[in-house]
Amino acid sequence: LRFIAPSNTPFIRVAPHVPIVRSRPSIVIRNASELVKFEPLECESGSVRLVFVGRLEPIKGIDFLLEVLESLSSKFRFVLDVLGTGPLEIKLRKRYSDSTWCRFRGFVSSEAVASYIGSANLLCMPSPAYESYGLVTAQALMRGTPVIGANIGGTAELIRHGVTGVLVPPLDADAWSTA
């Protein structure tokens, strides 16, 4: 009997509740990211292009990310493209509708996700949850797009801090603002 998962995070999270996990071989097999062609997108001159891809729900940290970026919007030139839908969408669209730095794109195709990620200067992965594997993070790294991500779960296993991105404590606004 062996256990297979896309990262070590599921083993760590399950072991206290299922002791056999500690005593049996565990294998990590990373999820393969689909290779999707992409077309680079244009961005305002001088602006840093940021992208968030995921469900718009608290567990993904999108509300936290937007609050942090709002506090930085008067000091820095950037544009955040938010790709995805979810239960927070109406509330967030309403709150940030007048922001020149935030653009909600809704649900987009795999090709569009690849184009946004490939054209971004930075992918933002603020999820404070123990995600077993960050497929979007893997897609960004495959395209050479650095990632700022919460130092937790599968995201922390994929990003090499200071090399392929930056790992930041989850939900630490000061740390995210200075990263």
Side-chain angles (χ1 to χ4, degrees), residues 12-141:
I12 294 166
R13 300 284 293 168
V14 170
H17 309 288
V18 185
I20 193 171
V21 170
R22 283 188 220 132
S23 64
R24 303 296 303 165
S26 299
I27 300 170
V28 173
I29 300 176
R30 305 274 185 214
N31 289 331
S33 179
E34 59 187 270
L35 288 175
V36 179
K37 285 187 175 183
F38 73 94
E39 293 295 322
L41 303 170
E42 295 295 318
C43 187
E44 294 80 21
S45 179
S47 291
V48 174
R49 177 176 228 135
L50 310 173
V51 65
F52 169 89
V53 181
R55 283 199 36 86
L56 305 185
E57 59 185 347
I59 197 167
K60 296 295 185 179
I62 182 61
D63 46 347
F64 166 77
L65 176 65
L66 290 171
E67 288 173 16
V68 168
L69 292 177
E70 184 175 44
S71 73
L72 298 172
S73 65
S74 63
K75 300 173 195 161
F76 301 100
R77 289 186 60 184
F78 60 87
V79 174
L80 172 69
D81 288 304
V82 178
L83 312 181
T85 62
L88 292 178
E89 184 175 7
I90 294 170
K91 173 185 156 188
L92 296 176
R93 279 183 183 265
K94 186 176 180 179
R95 178 169 176 190
Y96 297 100
S97 64
D98 294 332
S99 301
T100 58
W101 54 269
C102 183
R103 299 184 287 204
F104 290 90
R105 304 299 187 176
F107 178 83
V108 298
S109 68
S110 296
E111 291 80 14
V113 168
S115 291
Y116 279 102
I117 290 173
S119 300
N121 299 106
L122 188 65
L123 172 73
C124 303
M125 292 296 296
S127 177
Y130 282 91
E131 299 204 23
S132 61
Y133 186 78
L135 187 57
V136 174
T137 299
Q139 289 174 336
L141 297 176

